[in-house]
Amino acid sequence: MSDVASEHPNDNRYREFLQEVGKWEGLWGLFHHGWLLHTHEGQTFCPLFATRDAAQRWGASIRTNHVAGAITLVDVIEHLIPDWQSQNIMAGICPTPALGPVLIRPDKLSAYLLGALKAAMTVQFGRKS
């Protein structure tokens, strides 16, 4: 995660997001006939959150009719990320009413999500020799 951390040195949202979604094996987006896409500084992104409450709060702040929906890591990695890559859509991690999203390329997000899942499983089940 060093490239993301260096781009956002005082922002722990991405690190905390990865820890939570690795443990839960899923994340949250905003859905209404498709996953919400939004724009920040000219870049289209899909907002992603570690918790349902965070997704709902941000959705309310932008006044959308999209509702918080759970997404499994399998769906994100196998379905959404390839679509985002083909359409030049970034992942927008944990935007808040006060802060824009932590933007990350979908291919990097995929690798980080797999790493977070592996780390969570290691904590839960321990290392196998």
Side-chain angles (χ1 to χ4, degrees), residues 37-52:
L37 298 179
H38 204 66
T39 303
H40 178 73
E41 297 179 356
Q43 176 62 58
T44 301
F45 70 94
C46 183
L48 302 173
F49 304 88
T51 68
R52 180 177 185 252

Side-chain angles (χ1 to χ4, degrees), residues 80-82 84-85 89-91 104-111:
L80 294 177
I81 286 177
W84 296 339
Q85 285 178 303
I89 296 169
M90 301 282 277
I104 184 163
R105 288 191 347 239
D107 59 327
K108 287 188 177 190
L109 177 63
S110 181

